[in-house]
Amino acid sequence: MARNPKQTASEADGVTYRRARTWEIALSQMNNGSAMIFYTLVGLMAYLQNAGYGIAVAVAGLILTVTRVFDGLIDPVLGLIIEKVNFPFGKLRFFMLGGWLIRSLAILMLFVWASDTGLGAAFFIAIYLVYIIGSSMNDIAGQMSGPVLTNDPRQRPTVQVWATIYAYFVPAVFTIISTVVFLPRHGNEFTVGMLRETAITYVVCSLVFQILACVGVARVDKPENFAHLSDVRTKADVSTRDMWNLLTKNGPFQRYLISGASDKLAQVVRSQAVIATMMWGILLGNMQLGTTLSLIAILPGIVFAIFGARYTGKHGSKAATVTWTWICLILAAVLTVFCLAVDLRSVLGSLALTIAFFVIYLLLNGASMVVTVASGAMRADVIDYELDRSGKYLPATVTATYNIVDQVISSLGSTLALGAVALIGFTTVMPQPTDSPSTPILLMSLLLFFGLPIIGWICTLIAMRGYKLNRTEMIEVQKRVAEKKEALREAEPEDALA
């Protein structure tokens, strides 16, 4: 008996969706890979400040923290510029390549041309601010590519899968290159010469990623794919009022921001080195365990991301977020109880306890990956909803506004972590892996490592209660957008004759 072919999303929903080829999605997200190369390089910035510009370690950390504020301020300005500008060939490639060029020249200036030439902190800060402008320009344009490539609900989560693959593998590979290839050639010291060689190699490799990303978006990078739903398209400009209306009148966007901010804060705090020292070094007695688990979790995480894309495509971003947030919350609560119930120093000495801890931890990491995939699809849904609600297509504005929250939260993460550690007595010295476990260290570690994420997931669940863009509603949104676009196309010949 012959099987009936499976319906496409367009056939099932009665909407003619815009779809991308798989290779286009894979290549377009290489912009994220290029960005992660620079992210890895910026991780060496503290060494550059000290070795190349004579900046004290404490001041170096302060500079990198304060410049995050500038990063947050520049994003909405760049978002507005990107929304307003149109070129005959589109805009994604222009701002992706333009941003890459600016950030690359800034990196080469800092690491190669001006390093160790006697220029001090003022020069470093000025060029680093230029780097931030290029970085923000490139990142905003790159993150716009997903919503432009496809509005098929079954395909949209795939964009986040590819972005996640690059986010995992690129930093791992390039960190290995710098520590295994370049560092030994310079006496295992982060010298000016080592940093120069690393920077040149990274910039060249990022260019390859960037060119491939531009190939991926070339087909859709056209002015018509950024058009607003206005009766007079030439006057459908974007202003600061549109940005304000997005923040104040787009309910789903507000709830998406709450969800993203709470999850981001927990993620940033948990990733702080001082928290890792207390959790893995002091409590479990193996400082290398956290790094090892991160590497082990890469492949299962990608598997979960692929599964999450299918789940999100079938059930919608809201349903996927709610379901897998509950799973994350439950697994984190189980791990918290586990850590309170056993002597953590005995975990690695017992095969049964080791397996139990590792399995639950890896499952939690995988479930978090599904939430991340759903979040990427949710941002695209919010962009299309705003097009339906206001008639304005604002992918850069949505991305830039979200990035502001991301930057603010990231800058607060280290402050919150250090403040919490100071509460348990570490006011003059930092926790070291050789310190002895204690009840305050245990409780504070569990609060920051599992408790804060639990609070974040609870905030997400509360925010999602009023989030109305479920699978059914998004089908209706796409239908209304398609109808409005068709009405505009039918009206254009009359306008031309008038």
Side-chain angles (χ1 to χ4, degrees):
M1 183 176 179
R3 294 178 60 184
N4 293 325
K6 185 178 180 180
Q7 283 187 316
T8 65
S10 295
E11 293 169 339
D13 300 341
V15 180
T16 303
Y17 289 118
R18 181 177 65 255
R19 286 181 57 84
R21 303 175 182 92
T22 301
W23 67 265
E24 288 178 318
I25 296 176
L27 291 185
S28 70
Q29 297 312 297
M30 281 190 174
N31 190 81
N32 192 45
S34 175
M36 295 309 294
I37 293 175
F38 286 101
Y39 173 82
T40 306
L41 194 57
V42 169
L44 301 173
M45 199 70 80
Y47 291 103
L48 175 71
Q49 288 173 294
N50 186 251
Y53 295 89
I55 301 172
V57 175
V59 178
L62 181 63
I63 289 173
L64 294 179
T65 299
V66 172
T67 49
R68 281 188 174 275
V69 177
F70 176 77
D71 200 352
L73 293 174
I74 198 67
D75 276 349
V77 176
L78 291 173
L80 188 61
I81 292 172
I82 293 172
E83 300 285 21
K84 294 170 74 71
V85 171
N86 260 319
F87 301 105
F89 52 83
K91 67 175 74 177
L92 293 178
R93 288 167 291 176
F94 176 85
F95 286 105
M96 285 164 63
L97 283 173
W100 175 87
L101 181 61
I102 293 172
R103 80 197 309 185
S104 295
L105 290 175
I107 284 293
L108 291 174
M109 179 65 73
L110 287 174
F111 278 80
V112 181
W113 300 323
S115 180
D116 205 22
T117 59
L119 299 171
F123 176 84
F124 178 89
I125 293 172
I127 302 302
Y128 189 63
L129 293 179
V130 173
Y131 167 81
I132 288 176
I133 293 173
S135 178
S136 295
M137 184 188 300
N138 176 269
D139 290 346
I140 292 172
Q143 291 171 30
M144 289 170 58
S145 63
V148 177
L149 276 168
T150 176
N151 65 350
D152 186 330
R154 296 182 187 177
Q155 191 180 50
R156 260 187 172 164
T158 306
V159 176
Q160 190 62 39
V161 172
W162 282 101
T164 302
I165 289 173
Y166 297 128
Y168 264 82
F169 282 104
V170 170
V173 170
F174 280 84
T175 298
I176 291 172
I177 291 173
S178 65
T179 56
V180 176
V181 178
F182 295 131
L183 198 58
R185 286 161 57 171
H186 294 269
N188 280 324
E189 292 185 7
F190 290 95
T191 63
V192 170
M194 179 269 175
L195 294 171
R196 283 174 177 166
E197 189 174 3
T198 302
I200 292 171
T201 304
Y202 280 24
V203 168
V204 172
C205 291
S206 71
L207 176 59
V208 176
F209 277 74
Q210 201 62 68
I211 292 172
L212 291 173
C214 289
V215 172
V217 301
R219 183 179 61 87
V220 298
D221 195 13
K222 302 174 181 177
E224 57 264 31
N225 287 327
F226 301 93
H228 305 296
L229 297 178
S230 170
D231 292 333
V232 185
R233 291 194 183 187
T234 57
K235 296 182 180 180
D237 204 355
V238 178
S239 65
T240 53
R241 177 176 292 183
D242 294 309
M243 300 179 71
W244 178 250
N245 288 337
L246 171 69
L247 275 171
T248 58
K249 296 182 180 180
N250 189 320
F253 181 56
Q254 295 168 354
R255 295 179 180 277
Y256 169 66
L257 280 181
I258 293 171
S259 172
S262 58
D263 288 348
K264 181 68 175 183
L265 181 60
Q267 176 189 341
V268 169
V269 172
R270 196 173 76 167
S271 66
Q272 295 299 307
V274 63
I275 307 304
T277 298
M278 293 198 302
M279 186 68 192
W280 306 113
I282 299 175
L283 296 177
L284 283 160
N286 188 331
M287 190 59 200
Q288 288 71 41
L289 182 61
T291 303
T292 303
L293 267 180
S294 298
L295 293 174
I296 293 173
I298 290 180
L299 288 178
I302 298 302
V303 172
F304 269 92
I306 295 171
F307 169 78
R310 292 181 177 274
Y311 189 95
T312 304
K314 182 177 181 181
H315 299 282
S317 56
K318 177 184 178 179
T321 298
V322 171
T323 299
W324 287 90
T325 296
W326 269 112
I327 293 173
C328 287
L329 196 154
I330 292 169
L331 289 172
V334 169
L335 265 180
T336 302
V337 172
F338 176 91
C339 292
L340 289 171
V342 304
D343 178 7
L344 289 180
R345 279 295 176 107
S346 67
V347 168
L348 300 182
S350 167
L351 181 61
L353 292 178
T354 301
I355 292 174
F357 182 85
F358 280 15
V359 168
I360 300 174
Y361 185 84
L362 291 175
L363 287 174
L364 175 59
N365 183 77
S368 301
M369 188 65 67
V370 179
V371 175
T372 299
V373 170
S375 177
M378 187 175 289
R379 186 188 304 186
D381 289 347
V382 167
I383 291 170
D384 285 346
Y385 171 73
E386 179 63 21
L387 178 61
D388 176 44
R389 188 193 71 82
S390 68
K392 297 294 179 73
Y393 189 58
L394 305 175
T397 304
V398 170
T399 299
T401 306
Y402 182 84
N403 285 351
I404 297 171
V405 175
D406 184 90
Q407 294 296 335
V408 171
I409 294 297
S410 296
S411 63
L412 289 175
S414 58
T415 303
L416 180 58
L418 293 176
V421 170
L423 290 177
I424 59 173
F426 293 98
T427 54
T428 57
V429 296
M430 295 289 282
Q432 298 295 333
T434 53
D435 292 342
S436 299
S438 66
T439 300
I441 290 177
L442 172 64
L443 295 180
M444 186 58 74
S445 297
L446 294 182
L447 174 63
L448 297 176
F449 207 77
F450 297 122
L452 201 58
I454 287 174
I455 294 172
W457 290 321
I458 291 174
C459 291
T460 294
L461 292 173
I462 294 173
M464 288 298 102
R465 288 177 65 108
Y467 185 85
K468 65 181 182 179
L469 300 184
N470 56 27
R471 179 80 170 82
T472 303
E473 178 60 22
M474 279 311 301
I475 293 173
E476 296 304 314
V477 167
Q478 298 294 357
K479 286 181 178 178
R480 290 194 295 268
V481 168
E483 290 169 359
K484 291 173 183 178
K485 286 184 175 180
E486 183 60 31
L488 283 174
R489 278 193 290 268
E490 292 176 355
E492 280 177 352
E494 299 177 8
D495 295 339
L497 293 173

